[in-house]
Each structure stands twice: as structure tokens, then as C-alpha cells.
Amino acid sequence: MKKVDTTIIDTAVVPLGDNFYETGLLKSVAGGAVIKAGTVLKRSGDNFAILTNSSSEKAAAVVAFDVKNEKSDTADIAFRALISGRVRADKIAVNGTKATAAELDMLRACSIVPIAVTDLSRAE
């Protein structure tokens, strides 16, 4: 019997469609740091900051695509925050860990709808 090799193609894209964005600043990003797509954000005045404690902070947006601080010092980075629409549930992260059901519900409360997606695979 022939051995079947399976290749999974994961595009790693967070937004799925019907999305609205807001241009703003991501506050206090460490020098050289990359904020991964899918990171949940909170409001920080008129800008955004990384949500670190989902029990005491409110979700407001999601990083749609990786954001990198090109500077060597901590700085505020201009970017576009996803504030409404559909996103991949498996790509959402809070404080560097996969989002829980309660955290995904918190996103739904601010018009961001996490959807379960199965990546396509190809067998040869």
C-alpha cells in the first residue's frame, strides 16, 4: 500500500472578512519586538495597548497583521487595529496564549466574531 503524505496549508491570516479597521497607535512596544497577528488589544485613551489581564480589562480590537517596532527603544507604533468583523478563532491570543471561550465571548461583545476554521490539506 502506498504511503499517503499530507501537507497542511496554513495561511496564518487572522481576518476573514467584513472587517473594519481604525488607524491608531499601539502604545509602548518594546524595541525590536514583533506583536503577532491575533493579539487582543484594549483601549489606552484614544490609542491601543496589549490586553494583559482579561478579567480586569476590556477587549477593544485585534492586531490583524504582525506589527514590528523597528526602533531599538520602546515606542508607540502606528498601525491599523481590527475593530469589527470576522476573525479566525484559532489565531486569537491573549497575553501570548490561546484565547479561552470567555475571552472569545469578550471579543463578540465588541463586534469581533471569532470563527472556527479548518485549514485545507492535500494528500499525495
Side-chain angles (χ1 to χ4, degrees):
M1 178 182 251
K2 183 179 175 187
K3 181 181 175 192
V4 176
D5 292 325
T6 302
T7 304
I8 296 178
I9 302 166
D10 180 357
T11 62
V13 174
V14 173
L16 292 176
D18 299 326
N19 299 317
F20 291 94
Y21 299 88
E22 180 179 322
T23 302
L25 293 176
L26 184 54
K27 303 291 280 178
S28 303
V29 178
V34 175
I35 307 304
K36 293 292 194 180
T39 301
V40 178
L41 304 173
K42 64 182 178 181
R43 286 281 180 185
S44 176
D46 290 337
N47 300 306
F48 298 94
I50 297 171
L51 183 115
T52 55
N53 186 344
S54 61
S55 61
S56 64
E57 301 169 336
K58 257 178 119 172
V62 170
V63 176
F65 303 97
D66 290 355
V67 175
K68 182 175 182 180
N69 181 357
E70 300 288 344
K71 301 175 184 176
S72 59
D73 297 330
T74 299
D76 298 343
I77 305 299
F79 81 117
R80 292 178 62 209
L82 187 148
I83 59 169
S84 176
R86 295 179 300 154
V87 295
R88 288 182 60 143
D90 62 321
K91 300 293 182 185
I92 302 300
V94 175
N95 213 13
T97 60
K98 199 170 197 166
T100 64
E103 291 163 341
L104 295 177
D105 286 342
M106 186 173 27
L107 285 176
R108 286 184 191 91
C110 67
S111 300
I112 299 173
V113 182
I115 297 176
V117 174
T118 302
D119 288 315
L120 298 176
S121 61
R122 183 182 78 195
E124 295 179 12

